Amino acid sequence: MTVSAEPKATNVHWHHGEINRDDRASILGHKGVTLWFTGLSGSGKSTVAVALEKALAARGVLSYRLDGDNIRLGINSNLGFSAEDRKENIRRVGEISRLFADSGVVVLSSFISPYLDDREMVRRIHKENDLEFLEVFVDCPLEEAESRDPKGLYKKARAGEIKGFTGIDDPYEAPTKPELHLRTDQLTLEQEVDVIIKNLQERGIII
Amino acid sequence: MTVSAEPKATNVHWHHGEINRDDRASILGHKGVTLWFTGLSGSGKSTVAVALEKALAARGVLSYRLDGDNIRLGINSNLGFSAEDRKENIRRVGEISRLFADSGVVVLSSFISPYLDDREMVRRIHKENDLEFLEVFVDCPLEEAESRDPKGLYKKARAGEIKGFTGIDDPYEAPTKPELHLRTDQLTLEQEVDVIIKNLQERGIII
């Protein structure tokens, strides 16, 4: 290699990249957005997210799921289940969702996130960065979620083996104005996916 | 934003089950990877990352930069500069880089990250998840970095106004086996970008 005589430090302090959000949208053919799935344990949040991910991929849309599996075991492995830690869990996931949405990815974040305040915090994190945030209320009756009980958690909560379980001895504060309200007792999984896809199209996020 | 009407994943055959890393690579036309830029303050880490981002975009490659600007003000806003907090800062960035690389994005993470142990932790986080991690040593002589001093930090460190500043009164542990070693005194910015692009091509990460 030859030694260059050119000065190279002229823009070292220049932290704003030349490539921006629009450029990334052009590369991808769609915009970034965070879809925040909230609902009871067993309501079907992850099931919808997995089905949606597949429908989006068939359209060439890059999506990525964030959920307890890749968050609690990774970046939030140093958080427990105290009230404070639960809030910090949601805050970090909100910030990560924001980064992914900024990168152009359609983020599918599935967390019970039972408190209005926490979800509003995540919404604010997005709005402050001029990013779209869609709250998706996976609205499943408690009796139905409890009868599914995919992880046996309701049983343990009823037996008092788990304390502070959402819907049993801790409240679920339902969204008051979700961008998408999926009534699982009225829609099939396919219909739920269709509703979301159409909504994303209407908003001009995907084609 | 310009949205293309052409589907981008026409040759992808969707299997049963969840969308995986290979599916996302098919959508994007390249694999995900973390490029971890380490070097002194003022060494040019961000400058290379910004230039690389542009070169990648010109090739239709989706990259995303993580640096102090979008991390320290966001997810790590509750961290200070104690030894413990610095380590946690790098751990979280490592976990976020891992998620992005898994999503298919070419992640450009620029952090001084002066300690071997911390960088090895980030490498391990990736290897455990079967993800590629490329350590990029932005090797700039201290005198050169200090003479640039884009943020006036070296001046403050020399005056004793900042304690524990890397290169002044805190060590920089240079990588012993970086995947990419950029000697800024021998390469122009364009050459640095070319070296990285060629390396990514040779590894089959991008075309």
Side-chain angles (χ1 to χ4, degrees), chain A residues 121-194:
Chain A
M121 168 181 61
V122 177
R123 181 186 294 276
R124 200 168 53 244
I125 288 170
H126 284 74
K127 293 301 169 189
E128 283 170 359
N129 289 280
D130 198 25
L131 284 165
E132 292 218 59
F133 174 83
L134 308 181
E135 192 176 12
V136 185
F137 180 21
V138 183
D139 186 6
C140 174
L142 176 63
E143 315 80 66
E144 171 64 18
E146 189 168 356
S147 75
R148 296 174 183 170
D149 205 9
K151 297 172 187 167
L153 297 174
Y154 283 99
K155 202 174 171 186
K156 287 186 181 173
R158 291 286 185 194
E161 293 166 31
I162 302 176
K163 301 289 184 191
F165 194 77
T166 300
I168 305 301
D169 57 347
D170 213 58
Y172 177 76
E173 299 174 356
T176 51
K177 279 187 181 176
E179 277 77 9
L180 284 144
H181 187 162
L182 306 179
R183 297 221 17 193
T184 66
D185 57 350
Q186 298 181 358
L187 298 170
T188 64
L189 181 58
E190 279 187 353
Q191 288 172 329
E192 290 175 355
V193 169
D194 282 348

Side-chain angles (χ1 to χ4, degrees), chain B residues 143-184:
Chain B
E143 315 81 66
E144 172 64 19
E146 187 168 358
S147 75
R148 296 173 182 172
D149 205 9
K151 298 172 186 167
L153 296 174
Y154 282 99
K155 202 175 171 186
K156 286 184 181 173
R158 290 287 185 196
E161 293 166 32
I162 302 175
K163 301 289 183 190
F165 194 78
T166 299
I168 304 300
D169 56 347
D170 213 57
Y172 177 77
E173 299 174 356
T176 50
K177 279 187 182 178
E179 278 76 8
L180 284 143
H181 187 161
L182 306 178
R183 296 223 15 195
T184 67

Side-chain angles (χ1 to χ4, degrees), chain A residues 45-139:
Chain A
K45 298 181 295 299
S46 293
T47 306
V48 183
V50 166
L52 178 61
E53 186 178 38
K54 200 165 180 175
L56 288 171
R59 286 168 174 76
V61 172
L62 181 69
S63 71
Y64 191 65
R65 286 187 300 117
L66 297 175
D67 56 28
D69 285 351
N70 57 12
I71 292 294
R72 276 275 179 194
L73 299 176
I75 190 161
N76 288 355
S77 60
N78 54 358
L79 294 177
F81 290 88
S82 69
E84 194 184 354
D85 278 8
R86 281 171 185 268
K87 192 175 190 70
E88 173 67 2
N89 179 49
I90 297 300
R91 188 191 72 81
R92 289 189 199 168
V93 174
E95 291 284 359
I96 295 169
S97 300
R98 189 261 294 186
L99 292 171
F100 267 102
D102 183 42
S103 81
V105 174
V106 174
V107 194
L108 313 179
S109 299
S110 301
F111 297 87
I112 297 172
S113 51
Y115 305 126
L116 280 167
D117 271 3
D118 289 354
R119 296 194 304 269
E120 280 311 301
M121 168 181 61
V122 177
R123 181 186 294 276
R124 200 168 53 244
I125 288 170
H126 284 74
K127 293 301 169 189
E128 283 170 359
N129 289 280
D130 198 25
L131 284 165
E132 292 218 59
F133 174 83
L134 308 181
E135 192 176 12
V136 185
F137 180 21
V138 183
D139 186 6

Side-chain angles (χ1 to χ4, degrees), chain B residues 85-129:
Chain B
D85 279 8
R86 280 171 186 268
K87 192 176 190 69
E88 173 66 3
N89 179 49
I90 295 300
R91 188 191 72 83
R92 289 190 198 167
V93 175
E95 291 284 359
I96 295 170
S97 300
R98 188 262 292 185
L99 292 170
F100 267 102
D102 183 42
S103 81
V105 174
V106 174
V107 194
L108 313 180
S109 298
S110 300
F111 297 87
I112 298 173
S113 50
Y115 304 126
L116 280 166
D117 270 3
D118 290 353
R119 296 194 304 268
E120 281 311 302
M121 167 181 63
V122 178
R123 180 186 295 275
R124 199 167 54 244
I125 288 169
H126 283 74
K127 294 301 170 190
E128 283 170 0
N129 289 282

Side-chain angles (χ1 to χ4, degrees), chain A residues 2 4 8-9 11-12 15 17-18 25 27-28 31 54 57 60 64-65 74-75 78 88 91-92 102 207, chain B residues 1 3-4 8 14-15 18 47 54 60 64-65 69 74-75 78 88 91-92 102 150 184 186-188:
Chain A
T2 52
S4 168
K8 296 164 64 185
N11 61 344
V12 160
H15 279 267
E18 296 174 29
I27 290 172
L28 286 164
K31 294 183 189 175
K54 200 165 180 175
Y64 191 65
R65 286 187 300 117
I75 190 161
N78 54 358
E88 173 67 2
R91 188 191 72 81
R92 289 189 199 168
D102 183 42
I207 297 172
Chain B
M1 159 183 111
V3 173
S4 164
K8 301 185 71 179
W14 302 110
H15 52 83
E18 300 183 7
T47 305
K54 197 168 182 179
Y64 192 65
R65 285 187 302 116
D69 283 353
I75 190 160
N78 55 359
E88 173 66 3
R91 188 191 72 83
R92 289 190 198 167
D102 183 42
T184 67
Q186 297 181 359
L187 299 171
T188 65

